[in-house]
Amino acid sequence: MAESIDLPLSTASRKERYELLLPQLHHLVEDESDLIANLGNLMAALKEAMGFLWIGVYFVRAEELVLGPFQGPLACTRIAYGKGVCGIAWKEGRTIVVPDVDQFPGHIACSSLSKSEIVLPVFSNDKVVMVLDVDSDRLADFDETDAVALGKVTGIISELLAKAPAR
Ligand code: SME
């Protein structure tokens, strides 16, 4: 694996940062087969490179989501099916961008610092098996650029799942 992420934080736009980061994320996980180890490093690399308030995954476990590897403030450990942004992204199998969490009915506030959020489903064999959740301390911080780039991250995670299914 790569030992560090090489990214000019001060000079690149968020789109450019994603473009520089994504190939490095592939390298980061290519030699390791353990899913949790890879998810831990992916979350750390994304948090460090992109400066998100919080980034992490929730695993689908029976009728609820359970917290997985993350970086940032402490988070809710369990979210019911169809509840919160994460539970709805799971139920509907689609990416949800929330420009203002206070305006989203049913939003679950894990950190009072979170102002906007994006949640993407992670698929394995056409089923949602995890969600990727990213929070920002700024309003309207996520757009189509994030949806596309983070969609590539969920693609990397789906490939990892194909190699080492979640336990
Ligand atoms: N806000 C999420 C809960 C998870 S935390 O943001 C880490 C939601 O409404 O599902």
Side-chain angles (χ1 to χ4, degrees), residues 15 60 138:
K15 187 164 191 285
V60 171
R138 287 182 292 172

Side-chain angles (χ1 to χ4, degrees), residues 51-68:
F52 298 132
L53 171 68
W54 192 94
I55 180 164
V57 296
Y58 282 88
F59 295 107
V60 171
R61 296 272 189 259
E63 292 307 305
E64 57 188 0
L65 294 169
V66 180
L67 183 64

